Amino acid sequence: MKDLEITKETLHKSANNLRLANDKAEDLTIKKLTRGNPTMAAKFAELPRVVTPAETR
């Protein structure tokens, strides 16, 4: 029973860590990734530009 409680607690901690990581990942933007980082800015500048549907109107 004690082992199951430890496993349950560990799973709850893992779920919380995944939630926090997901929140941080959703908050990332190209601007945040490239600010003050010339290497990343150059890498993103090399990528082909994607035209959004709003730009085709």
Side-chain angles (χ1 to χ4, degrees):
M1 194 65 153
K2 181 86 170 164
D3 288 339
L4 290 174
E5 289 175 3
I6 292 171
T7 302
K8 180 180 175 182
E9 182 179 324
T10 302
L11 288 172
H12 281 294
K13 288 179 182 179
S14 294
N16 189 46
N17 286 339
L18 285 172
R19 182 187 57 78
L20 292 172
N22 188 50
D23 289 347
K24 288 181 180 182
E26 287 181 358
D27 192 38
L28 285 179
T29 63
I30 291 176
K31 184 176 182 177
K32 286 182 181 180
L33 288 172
T34 59
R35 185 173 181 182
N37 187 335
T39 304
M40 287 301 293
K43 293 293 182 188
F44 279 109
E46 290 173 7
L47 295 174
R49 188 171 185 290
V50 177
V51 178
T52 63
E55 294 174 320
T56 60
R57 294 182 196 171

